[in-house]
């Protein structure tokens, strides 16, 4: 985000991209809505016509089941047998079964006929070829016969499986009922009707209900659990929005009354049939627009880069001057437009500034450097060390051995610290310098500070960066011992194992919190090696110099229990990696 805020080039590119993208997005939304409503209206019109065809097929199916037994009235032998009051003979039963078979052959959907005869006998015939089908249909759940002309049989799962037509055969002219018939018809014809009705909308759902309140579901092309739509919308415009098992879509309805029974045909079409075609149109348009946008972006990038290149060159020159004041600038352009003139003027200005700076500022800088060297020579470290040695000898002659000892230690400390010609020293010399420093500190604290060092003699020759131990011990005193009452103790332990040298600096001072240690680790990770005058060489500076010298072989850690102890540990390979 900051790059955009600081770049005129990126701002112009984003602005032009926005001018291109915004109209494209708006046009895609409008195209989607227009295509959605157009496809939706086409589907509504197509289904209005197909619902009439579906209702005609449904009525034809029911009419076929109802009219199948009509040939019974023209069979005198069958009427004679059915009029018997006495028990049927085997031949009579055979005649009745053949009669049922002829009814089944007239309508292929009829697979079972039950005749309750005048003499009290019931003849049940299942007219199917294979035994498996006979067993399955025999296990259907059939309701008790009622006065209703049509009933529905279900399978073991409660799904509609058969249409039951109840019919009474009367004797003429007495109109006496000689047989009550229950005709069972399969729903295969309705399944075939569904395929025609759905057409290209393959996963649509078609339902057939019986009764004014749709209380009986005769057929459903797909099982469902929950259905919801407004009946008032269906009555007004033959279609309504709704949901089927949570899926949104449109319901279509066609109603007709047949022989006193209301038949309702309902079809559900999922919304994706409206949204998918519209989405495909928009997707194609979006792909084309994205391709054009990519080409436009490349063109704009090249064009703006060409136009703003002089500004970028001048800006880079200004940034470089913040690091090194070099006023040498060449435009390298032959452009005659406003930006070309601006760059040429900038080049002339840089040349003028270079002349002024070279004559004034640089001469003053050299003078300042010379004065500084003169001042530095006046406080030469060697001179300071010699004077401390002289004062120490004088103190010794004056019978002040303690003062002489401390001045000698202070002189050695200054000599070691201010010798800038050495970057690496042996661990033995570093420990000797640390002991001088701690003897001076112990004298300052007057017995309230104890200091111990443990280092095997064979480790004394290991080369280490100069001044890595004193800053650690100084931190122990400044941030640990000084912040706590009572006696302070500092211990430096140096050990070796498996080629690794391990330096531990421990104190019993005030300690550090977890937040402070976390901040210290974060500062180490983001350290720029630019210690301020306040922090001096500093703890972080020690870590960075060790990291530069030992490279990947260097590790460090800090642990602390507030008010109890703090431990700083440096670990490095004894044999340093080669350059």
């Amino acid at each position: 985000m900051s790059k955009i805020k600081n770049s005129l080039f990126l701002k112009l590119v984003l602005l032009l991209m926005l001018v291109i993208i915004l109209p494209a997005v708006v046009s895609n939304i409008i195209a989607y809505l227009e295509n959605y409503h157009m496809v939706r209206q086409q589907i509504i019109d197509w289904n209005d016509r197909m619902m009439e065809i579906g209702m005609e097929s449904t009525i034809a199916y029911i009419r076929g089941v109802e009219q199948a037994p009509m040939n019974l009235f023209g069979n005198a032998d069958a009427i004679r047998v059915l009029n018997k009051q006495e028990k049927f003979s085997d031949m009579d039963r055979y005649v009745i079964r053949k009669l049922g078979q002829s009814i089944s052959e007239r309508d292929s959907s009829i697979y079972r006929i039950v005749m309750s005869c005048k003499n009290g006998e019931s003849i049940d015939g299942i007219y199917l070829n294979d035994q498996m089908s006979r067993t399955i249909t025999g296990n259907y759940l059939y309701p008790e016969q009622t006065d209703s002309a049509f009933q529905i049989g279900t399978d073991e799962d409660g799904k509609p499986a058969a249409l039951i037509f109840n019919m009474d055969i009367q004797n003429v002219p007495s109109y006496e009922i000689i047989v009550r018939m229950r005709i069972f018809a399969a729903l295969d014809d309705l399944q075939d009707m569904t395929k025609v009705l759905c057409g290209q909308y393959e996963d649509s759902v078609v339902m057939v209900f019986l009764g004014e309140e749709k209380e009986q579901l005769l057929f459903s092309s797909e099982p469902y659990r929950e259905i919801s739509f407004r009946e008032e919308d269906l009555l007004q415009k033959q279609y309504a929005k709704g949901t089927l098992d949570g899926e949104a879509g449109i319901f279509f309805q066609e109603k007709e009354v047949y022989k006193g029974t209301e038949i309702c045909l309902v079809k559900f079409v999922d919304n994706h049939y409206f949204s998918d075609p519209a989405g495909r149109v928009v997707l194609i348009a979006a792909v084309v627009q994205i391709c054009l946008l990519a080409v436009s972006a490349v063109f704009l990038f090249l064009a703006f880069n060409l136009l703003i290149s002089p500004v970028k060159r001048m800006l880079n020159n200004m940034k470089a001057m913040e690091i090194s004041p070099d006023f040498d600038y060449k435009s390298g352009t032959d452009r005659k437009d406003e930006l070309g003139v601006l760059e040429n003027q900038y080049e002339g200005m840089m040349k003028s500034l270079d002349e002024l700076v070279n004559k004034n500022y640089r001469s003053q800088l050299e003078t300042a450097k010379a004065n500084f060297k003169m001042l530095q020579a006046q406080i030469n470290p060697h001179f300071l060390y010699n004077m401390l040695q002289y004062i120490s000898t004088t103190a010794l002659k004056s019978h002040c051995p303690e003062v002489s000892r401390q001045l000698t230690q202070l002189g050695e400390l200054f000599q070691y610290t201010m010798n800038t010609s050495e970057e690496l020293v042996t661990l033995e010399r570093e420990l000797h310098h640390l002991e001088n420093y701690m003897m001076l500190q112990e004298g300052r604290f007057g017995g309230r500070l104890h200091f111990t060092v443990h280092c095997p003699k064979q480790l004394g020759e290991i080369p280490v960066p100069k001044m890595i131990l004193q800053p650690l011990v100084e931190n122990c005193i400044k941030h640990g011992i000084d912040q706590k009452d009572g006696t302070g103790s500092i211990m430096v332990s140096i050990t070796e194992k498996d080629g690794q040298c391990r330096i531990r600096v421990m104190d019993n001072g005030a300690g550090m919190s977890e937040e402070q240690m976390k901040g210290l680790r974060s500062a180490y990770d983001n350290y720029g090696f630019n210690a301020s005058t306040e922090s001096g060489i500093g703890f972080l500076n020690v870590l960075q110099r060790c990291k530069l010298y030992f490279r990947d072989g260097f590790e460090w850690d800090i642990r602390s229990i507030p008010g109890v102890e703090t431990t700083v540990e440096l670990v490095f390979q004894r044999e340093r990696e080669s350059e």
Side-chain angles (χ1 to χ4, degrees), residues 240-260:
K241 296 180 181 179
T243 59
L244 185 70
D245 286 343
E247 297 293 332
I250 292 182
F251 287 88
F252 299 90
Q253 177 177 273
E254 188 74 22
K255 283 187 177 183
E256 190 166 329
V257 178
Y258 180 76
K259 299 281 182 81

Side-chain angles (χ1 to χ4, degrees), residues 84-226:
K84 283 187 176 182
Q85 297 287 348
E86 66 274 11
K87 186 177 181 181
F88 291 143
S89 64
D90 291 339
M91 180 57 70
D92 294 335
R93 293 188 183 90
Y94 174 77
V95 171
I96 295 174
R97 289 183 186 279
K98 291 297 289 182
L99 176 64
Q101 185 175 1
S102 66
I103 296 174
S104 175
E105 291 173 350
R106 185 169 182 180
D107 191 324
S108 59
S109 63
I110 297 174
Y111 64 88
R112 182 179 182 183
I113 299 176
V114 179
M115 298 185 188
S116 300
C117 301
K118 185 177 179 180
N119 63 355
E121 290 191 42
S122 180
I123 308 298
D124 189 354
I126 298 179
Y127 306 101
L128 294 171
N129 296 328
D130 59 286
Q131 182 60 37
M132 183 177 292
S133 299
R134 293 168 63 88
T135 303
I136 293 173
T137 56
N139 291 332
Y140 285 164
L141 304 177
Y142 301 115
E144 294 292 332
Q145 185 173 0
T146 63
D147 293 336
S148 176
F150 297 102
Q151 292 178 280
I152 298 172
T154 59
D155 59 14
E156 295 177 350
D157 297 328
K159 299 175 184 176
L163 173 64
I164 305 173
F165 175 55
N166 299 317
M167 180 178 185
D168 295 337
I169 304 298
Q170 298 176 336
N171 195 5
V172 181
S174 63
Y175 297 102
E176 177 186 10
I177 297 175
I178 60 174
V179 62
R180 307 196 71 178
M181 300 179 64
R182 300 196 80 191
I183 301 173
F184 300 81
L187 304 177
D188 295 343
D189 289 352
L190 293 179
Q191 189 68 48
D192 295 338
M193 177 270 296
T194 297
K195 295 178 182 179
V196 176
L197 187 59
C198 290
Q200 58 183 321
Y201 312 111
E202 296 177 354
D203 57 350
S204 300
V205 181
V206 176
M207 295 152 278
V208 179
F209 295 93
L210 300 181
E212 293 183 2
E213 301 297 329
K214 302 185 182 66
E215 60 267 15
Q216 293 188 85
L217 176 64
L218 172 62
F219 171 79
S220 176
S221 60
E222 296 291 340
Y224 65 88
R225 295 182 300 275
E226 183 180 359

Side-chain angles (χ1 to χ4, degrees), residues 308-320:
I308 304 182
S309 55
V311 178
K312 293 176 69 175
R313 283 196 295 269
M314 289 185 286
L315 182 62
N316 292 333
N317 179 256
M318 292 176 185
K319 290 182 179 179

Side-chain angles (χ1 to χ4, degrees), residues 495-508:
T495 59
E496 181 194 17
K497 184 178 180 182
D498 298 332
Q500 279 191 330
C501 187
R502 196 176 296 268
I503 300 176
R504 293 189 183 91
V505 180
M506 295 167 281
D507 70 82
N508 65 343

Side-chain angles (χ1 to χ4, degrees), residues 14 30 33 90 95 126 149 161 182 213 234 290 307 345 400 408 411 442 447 464 485 514 520 539 550:
L14 288 177
I30 295 173
L33 294 175
D90 291 339
V95 171
I126 298 179
R182 300 196 80 191
E213 301 297 329
L234 287 175
I290 290 172
L307 290 173
Q345 291 291 332
C400 299
T408 300
E442 285 177 342
V464 296
D485 297 332
E514 188 65 35
L520 195 59
F539 176 59
F550 296 108

